[in-house]
Amino acid sequence: MNMPHPPFDLEALRAQFPILSRQVHGKPLIYLDSAASAQKPEPVISAQADYLRTHHANVHRGVHALSQEATDAFEAARQRIRRHLNAAHAEEILFTSGATASINLVAAAWGRTQLRAGDVVVVTRMDHHANIVPWQMVAEQTGARVVPVAVLEDGTVDEADLQRCLALQPKMVAFPHVSNVLGTVNPVACWVQAAHDVGAVVLVDGCQAVPHLPVDVQALGADFYAFSAHKAYGPTGFGVLYGKRALLEAMPPFLGGGEMIAHVDFEEGTTFAELPFKFEAGTPHISGAIACAAALDWMSSWGMEALAAHEHQLVERALAGLSAVAGIRLVGTPPERVGVVSFLLEGVHPYDVGVLLDAQGVAVRTGLHCAEPLMKHLGLPGTVRASFAAYNSPEEVDAFVAAVQRAARMLR
Amino acid sequence: MDAMEDRQAAIEREFAAFDDWTDKYELLIELGKELPGIPEERRQEDWLIRGCQSKVWLHASRNPDGTVHLEADSDAIVTKGLAGLMVRIFDGLPPSAVAQAPLWVLERIGLAAHLSPTRANGLRSMVDQIRLYGRVLALQDGSLPPAQS
């Protein structure tokens, strides 16, 4: 779908988000917590509602008209998501409940069969807990060990340490495309190549990349790529796991149940369905898939490049504005960054900044951001994180900076 | 106990001057700054309250006259202000009052929303812990019958 994009009209874009017109504590909402979960535009809300109102039935099994309509819409969503990620085959797109489930699926189905005692799984110290704990769990079960790559003060991965970790000849290398705390964009294709050179399989956590960047899984070369729909303007409870077909075919099922079987037989044993259904036990989140596809359509309708350019301006404006606040410490200065600015006020607990911003109508996240090892590594008690989406405006960024100024004065 | 009623009424009057949350927090920050806190070397691991994004230390002991001596501290100033509010309400009261006297002022000043167990400030946990301290001290001095424990 290479339709020409309309000129970027921020007011028109913002008008598509009903929630942006509400107030909190009597003040206009300034929502800067999109890295936790993005707000939803009208086309996503109506795609989900329309499906529930007019097309809903269970998928894949029914002979009746509604079931076939639902199945068509569901499988069209798979094709839409395949196209967005430029995956080679629709059966490489597995539907899950979110990136956490996607990563757990790989850790369990791939990890339990491929990892042996003494094997190494490499992650980074900037990973979200969702890309650490599943590996620790499977390491516990198999006797493998999880080795984290160090992160430098500027918020980038220590490339020298990465080379040292790759020299351990890991079986799996897992890392985020974009850091959820620092916004660092990692050089995925380069690391995938390096990991493949030592024979490792690569999983990329794409949660913070899909909302902000065009993602081409074939160009990146990753074996697995996971993301959650709700951070990319889509619904909660729906996520995607891209996996290379040969790897997925070799993996045993993760969850057993309906939808994932070919035949169930007590005497002759059960046989499993083909991809992608082998990994989709139970009734799936049908409206979630449809709304996720609508969210990708929505992003494409504005153009990923146009959205990225606008967000880049927001992040630069925020960095410039915050730099002028007395006593501020910006956490991480990665050369390539999307979506996120993390900071601290000297001598002030992040929680205090968070509640004072909330009182002024500004929603940010404070704390460890599900990245406790990163905070420990950087010696921080947590950070205040402002995260930006396409619907934020330069005026909101200015109001946010003014709110931080006021909070800093109050807390001095 | 009337002391606790009076203290809550005074707090209600102070907060009534503000309808903006920023101003209410300003007042909490002042309360936090006024609270003596607990020097770092005296803080003990088991005085830490769980369930807070910031750390809260809370400790109760018995004054010579049998009333409760309440001390609190936090590494976040707003949370320390909330802790200071608790100290203002409960410190120096008999254990049975600390355990049982009605606590209504948090609703009146709009802080009730902060009492939800999932809120990051741990106010709920603070109240629960103070009530528990009161109950234990009251059981020890016999001012609460064991049946009510």
Side-chain angles (χ1 to χ4, degrees):
Chain A
M1 189 167 64
N2 284 320
M3 299 207 309
H5 306 301
F8 188 77
D9 176 349
L10 183 59
E11 279 316 300
L13 186 153
R14 285 174 60 83
Q16 291 183 298
F17 289 82
I19 209 167
L20 296 181
S21 61
R22 67 159 286 179
Q23 298 200 325
V24 289
H25 307 310
K27 303 189 174 64
L29 167 68
I30 297 178
Y31 187 76
L32 301 182
D33 196 21
S34 299
S37 197
Q39 300 300 344
K40 319 305 173 199
E42 194 58 63
V44 171
I45 298 168
S46 56
Q48 192 157 24
D50 286 349
Y51 166 77
L52 294 173
R53 285 205 180 93
T54 57
H55 302 292
H56 174 67
N58 210 336
V59 290
H60 297 142
R61 290 288 177 265
V63 294
H64 57 81
L66 267 189
S67 173
Q68 289 179 6
E69 278 179 35
T71 303
D72 288 348
F74 185 68
E75 291 306 322
R78 198 186 306 272
Q79 284 292 352
R80 179 68 190 83
I81 294 164
R82 179 203 68 74
R83 196 149 42 86
H84 194 83
L85 298 178
N86 193 33
H89 311 284
E91 63 268 32
E92 294 180 324
I93 303 296
L94 310 187
F95 290 166
T96 68
S97 65
T100 297
S102 299
I103 297 168
N104 274 278
L105 190 162
V106 178
W110 178 89
R112 278 190 219 146
T113 49
Q114 298 298 317
L115 294 173
R116 301 276 177 276
D119 283 348
V120 170
V121 173
V122 168
V123 299
T124 74
R125 288 194 188 270
M126 69 163 64
D127 269 289
H128 188 283
H129 294 163
N131 206 21
I132 297 173
V133 181
W135 299 114
Q136 289 178 321
M137 288 164 60
V138 71
E140 181 83 7
Q141 290 161 350
T142 59
R145 65 192 170 110
V146 177
V147 179
V149 183
V151 173
L152 301 172
E153 190 77 6
D154 70 353
T156 60
V157 162
D158 183 343
E159 294 270 354
D161 196 45
L162 176 64
Q163 294 309 320
R164 282 192 289 275
C165 290
L166 291 178
L168 301 172
Q169 299 200 298
K171 288 275 167 49
M172 166 62 71
V173 176
F175 59 85
H177 192 157
V178 172
S179 159
N180 72 309
V181 180
L182 308 167
T184 314
V185 181
N186 289 318
V188 175
C190 175
W191 290 359
V192 168
Q193 186 59 56
H196 283 170
D197 286 348
V198 298
V201 168
V202 179
L203 180 143
V204 177
D205 167 7
C207 278
Q208 301 295 338
V210 170
H212 303 292
L213 302 168
V215 172
D216 179 334
V217 289
Q218 293 189 79
L220 295 175
D223 300 295
F224 297 104
Y225 194 96
F227 76 94
S228 293
H230 72 98
K231 294 184 198 287
Y233 309 103
T236 52
F238 182 79
V240 170
L241 174 66
Y242 158 80
K244 283 182 181 163
R245 187 160 64 183
L247 278 165
L248 293 176
E249 278 173 346
M251 281 156 58
F254 171 42
L255 298 175
E259 296 263 351
M260 55 76 72
I261 43 82
H263 298 285
V264 177
D265 193 302
F266 282 116
E267 284 69 39
E268 292 172 19
T270 290
T271 54
F272 302 118
E274 299 293 308
L275 291 176
F277 309 113
K278 182 170 85 173
F279 292 105
E280 295 180 0
T283 298
H285 187 358
I286 307 165
S287 69
I290 290 163
C292 176
L296 299 181
D297 277 341
W298 179 83
M299 286 197 286
S300 299
S301 75
W302 288 97
M304 288 305 292
E305 291 77 12
L307 298 183
H310 168 61
E311 290 170 13
H312 179 71
Q313 287 179 348
L314 297 175
V315 169
E316 290 300 314
R317 194 179 184 97
L319 287 171
L322 289 175
S323 299
V325 177
I328 201 154
R329 172 175 169 197
L330 296 169
V331 179
T333 51
E336 208 186 331
R337 171 207 299 261
V338 291
V340 168
V341 174
S342 250
F343 66 96
L344 286 165
L345 293 175
E346 279 318 324
V348 175
H349 198 285
Y351 170 80
D352 288 323
V353 182
V355 291
L356 293 182
L357 293 183
D358 176 57
Q360 300 175 75
V362 181
V364 295
R365 181 87 182 265
T366 64
L368 305 172
H369 316 298
C370 295
E372 204 172 341
L374 178 63
M375 295 303 162
K376 186 176 162 196
H377 190 58
L378 298 174
L380 301 174
T383 71
V384 184
R385 181 187 72 181
S387 54
F388 303 90
Y391 43 72
N392 291 124
S393 69
E395 293 75 21
E396 286 183 322
V397 172
D398 295 347
F400 154 67
V401 171
V404 174
Q405 294 270 21
R406 186 169 179 200
R409 278 196 303 275
M410 286 173 69
L411 292 163
R412 201 164 289 149
Chain B
M1 291 297 289
D2 292 338
M4 193 155 142
E5 288 293 306
D6 293 347
R7 290 172 181 191
Q8 293 189 82
I11 291 167
E12 186 182 13
R13 280 194 301 278
E14 280 171 47
F15 274 85
F18 309 112
D19 51 9
D20 189 289
W21 268 103
T22 316
D23 298 324
K24 290 185 189 178
Y25 281 124
E26 194 110 54
L27 190 53
L28 281 174
I29 290 168
E30 283 313 310
L31 283 171
K33 286 177 179 166
E34 287 165 12
L35 185 72
I38 306 172
E40 220 163 303
E41 61 276 11
R42 282 191 53 228
R43 292 175 191 163
Q44 292 181 23
E45 188 68 23
D46 61 2
W47 297 358
L48 266 176
I49 306 254
R50 305 281 156 209
C52 319
Q53 203 179 81
S54 49
K55 287 182 177 166
V56 180
W57 293 267
L58 196 64
H59 181 61
S61 53
R62 200 187 297 275
N63 287 316
D65 65 356
T67 57
V68 175
H69 177 50
L70 193 60
E71 298 170 282
D73 209 339
S74 173
D75 57 351
I77 193 69
V78 171
T79 312
K80 194 175 171 189
L82 292 170
L85 209 54
M86 295 299 108
V87 169
R88 255 183 81 180
I89 294 170
F90 290 106
D91 183 46
L93 297 180
S96 60
V98 172
Q100 292 186 322
L103 177 66
W104 47 263
V105 71
L106 299 177
E107 278 164 33
R108 300 275 180 85
I109 63 179
L111 280 174
H114 291 243
L115 280 174
S116 129
T118 54
R119 289 296 288 239
N121 59 42
L123 185 56
R124 167 96 265 162
S125 309
M126 274 189 245
V127 174
D128 289 348
Q129 188 63 37
I130 290 167
R131 296 291 206 188
L132 189 63
Y133 274 130
R135 176 151 301 186
V136 170
L137 292 171
L139 285 170
Q140 284 173 358
D141 69 14
S143 59
L144 267 189
Q148 290 187 6
S149 64

